[in-house]
Amino acid sequence: MRLYYQSAFTLIELIAVLVIVGILSATILIRITPGDANIQTAKNDVLAGLIFARETAMARSDGSSVVKFIATETSIDIQVNDTSIRNINQSYPLALADDVTITSIDPISGEQQLQFTHLGETVEQDIILEDEDLSLTISVSGVGYAH
């Protein structure tokens, strides 16, 4: 009786190698492009601030409070009756992530301002974020939705 031995990889060995290569490539990719994470963090902060400002204006449905979202080159602020407010987990003004700037500000006033009504409405505008390599645009519709 003769035994033949075949040398090959099993399916489990191939899957293990693919998983290891995937983890290593994801780690390397994250370390190569840190700027992407900074601009994404800034985008998330601006979107969260816009949503919070809109919801705050709608919660004060009597219309007696003026809720503003104010963006400067390196920070965002939410004000009610010209006073910065605080969210449960966040206080304003909030500095943006490193090396990220808002470039859509008015050169005369040095800021970009959105005022929300008690219905959550505002003026349609774009907020442009930039870092060294990337540029992102956040569009705010007239009904206050941001994307």
Side-chain angles (χ1 to χ4, degrees), residues 39 101 103 127-138:
I39 199 163
T101 57
T103 59
I127 299 172
I128 301 169
L129 300 170
E130 290 185 358
D131 73 353
E132 299 163 349
D133 304 325
L134 297 173
S135 176
L136 292 175
T137 301
I138 299 171

Side-chain angles (χ1 to χ4, degrees), residues 30 33-48 73 76 94-103 127-138:
I30 288 172
T33 59
D36 293 356
N38 285 344
I39 199 163
Q40 190 63 40
T41 300
K43 178 184 175 188
N44 292 341
D45 288 342
V46 171
L47 284 171
E73 188 173 305
I76 59 172
L94 173 67
L96 296 178
D98 294 337
D99 301 327
V100 178
T101 57
I102 297 177
T103 59
I127 299 172
I128 301 169
L129 300 170
E130 290 185 358
D131 73 353
E132 299 163 349
D133 304 325
L134 297 173
S135 176
L136 292 175
T137 301
I138 299 171

